Each structure stands twice: as C-alpha cells, then as structure tokens.
Amino acid sequence: MPAAERVPLCLATMWLVLQSLLLLASCLRSAAAFPKGCYPSEEEGLKTFRCSNAQLTEIPRDIPNDTNKLYLDSNRIPFLPRDAFRDLPLLLELDLSHNAIASVESGAFRGLAEHLHSLDLSSNRLVSVSKDTFSNMNAKVNLSNNPWLCDCRLQELIRTVDLVAGSSSGIVCGSSTQEEHVGKAFLQVIADTDFCNVYKKTTDIAMLVTMFGWFAMVISYLVYYVRQNQEDARRHLEYLKSLPSKQRRSEESSTISTVV
C-alpha cells in the first residue's frame, strides 16, 4: 500500500480508538457514580434502575432522573425522608420491599402522586403511618407483612390508600389496644370493631371527666367562699353585741352604710 494511502488509514484508526477510549471512560465514570450493586438497564422499553440486595442504608443519590422503574428492595434502609424521590418526575414503579423501614416522613412521596402507579412497602417494620403520607396518590400500594399497630390511625390509612389486590390479608395486627386482635388480619378485626368510634367515645368521656373536675373545683371554691364570709359576718355580729349600746348602734349604722 502506498505511503500516501497508509497515513489517512492510520489517522482513521487512531480516531476510532480515541472515540472508543472516550466512550469507555464515560461508561466507567457513570458506573462509578452509582453505589456498589446498583446499575441502570432498560426493561420492556422502560428505563430501570436496580439496587436490589445492595446493602443500602439510605436512598441512593444520583439516580437517573429519567428512571421509570426503581428497585430498592432487599436492603437495610431504615426510614424515608421528606422529598426522597422529588428528582424522579417519570417514576412509575417503586419497590421498597424487604427493608427495615420503620418511619416515613410526611412528604416522602411528594411529586410522585400524579404518575406513580405501583408502590411496594411490604415486609418492612412499619407500625404506624399518617394517612397524609399517601395523600392524592393514585398508585396501588402494598402494605403487607409489617408489624402494624391496629388503631384508628391505621383504619384511616387503609381507607385512604388503594391497596394491591390480594394484599389486604397480609396487613396483620402486630399490636393492638385489645390483646385478642394481635395476629389477626386488620380487615377481619375492623369488621367487628370501629377503632375510630371507640377512640371518639374515649375522648368524649375524658373531656366530660375533665369538665366535671373543673366544675367540682368551682363549686368547692364557692362553698368555701360563702362559708368563710358567713363566719366573718357571725364574728362581726358577736363583736357588735359585746359593745355598749350607743357604740353598738353607731357601729351597726356604719356597717349598714357600708353595705348600702
């Protein structure tokens, strides 16, 4: 091959190698930005980010903001902070199952209400969650296999969320104000017990007891005040009777004038 032809060929080869090296460096840099065990992929045409079994103890940062499906299952995440997923405007599915989540701050799912259609919080350590946590959310939610406290708060929560079909039987009372409810499915319990009505009755009784206590204190004070004044008046009259007649009349007139 003539030397004149070999030069362009060498330049083209070097250019291809350089592009390959730049592409490889870019891939390595992107991979290094993700926590160990996390990687992006594409499944059924949806951008997916998987962090399953990655030993995570918090929600990872730098999740691609075009992610449609996010898997954070089987980790050690203990709680969900406010605005934990605010930078994921295209998220459709969120799997947080099999973690150690015991607390969910208000606003943890803010920004996901309109588009998220699947949220899995099963097999965590949730005992009580405010109903406002899932306000305006249209997603199907799985809350099974958590040590729930069966009370009015849980009753209101269940009425608020749209549960995944068949998952309601897995919402079991881990604790309750009534010992016989422990270990039973919550929907079975509330078929016979209205926790919110019981709570309202208890609150009403407590309020009545408090009001009665205050009323009794006021009556007791009034009785004491009247008796004390009667005693003072009696002593004053006895004093007047002990005075000489003229002085007594003067004192009585003075007393009457003062009263008038």
Side-chain angles (χ1 to χ4, degrees), residues 72-181:
L72 299 173
D73 56 300
S74 304
N75 285 288
R76 296 180 294 176
I77 300 170
F79 79 103
L80 302 179
R82 183 188 302 270
D83 295 323
F85 308 99
R86 65 179 178 181
D87 296 324
L88 302 174
L90 303 178
L91 196 61
L92 301 174
E93 297 182 20
L94 176 57
D95 189 348
L96 291 161
S97 63
H98 297 88
N99 273 281
I101 300 170
S103 174
V104 180
E105 289 188 0
S106 178
F109 302 111
R110 185 160 47 194
L112 301 182
E114 295 181 1
H115 43 82
L116 190 71
H117 63 69
S118 177
L119 173 60
D120 194 344
L121 283 166
S122 63
S123 301
N124 277 282
R125 298 178 185 174
L126 295 171
V127 174
S128 184
V129 176
S130 170
K131 64 178 181 179
D132 297 332
T133 303
F134 305 102
S135 60
N136 302 318
M137 186 175 287
N138 298 317
K140 294 283 186 180
V141 183
N142 190 344
L143 298 173
S144 61
N145 299 319
N146 283 281
W148 293 106
L149 167 62
C150 289
D151 60 359
C152 179
R153 199 176 192 191
L154 179 58
Q155 185 171 316
E156 290 181 336
L157 175 66
I158 298 302
R159 289 173 177 172
T160 301
V161 299
D162 186 7
L163 296 174
V164 172
S167 68
S168 59
S169 60
I171 301 175
V172 177
C173 298
S175 59
S176 175
T177 52
Q178 301 181 35
E179 194 66 28
E180 64 269 20
H181 295 155

Side-chain angles (χ1 to χ4, degrees), residues 9-55:
L9 182 61
C10 289
L11 289 174
T13 303
M14 290 177 63
W15 175 249
L16 288 174
V17 170
L18 181 60
Q19 281 190 320
S20 298
L21 289 172
L22 289 173
L23 181 61
L24 179 60
S26 177
C27 291
L28 290 174
R29 186 166 58 252
S30 297
F34 301 140
K36 184 180 179 180
C38 298
Y39 60 91
S41 64
E42 188 165 325
E43 300 177 6
E44 300 176 351
L46 296 175
K47 297 289 183 65
T48 303
F49 192 75
R50 286 190 175 273
C51 286
S52 305
N53 290 296
Q55 303 298 312

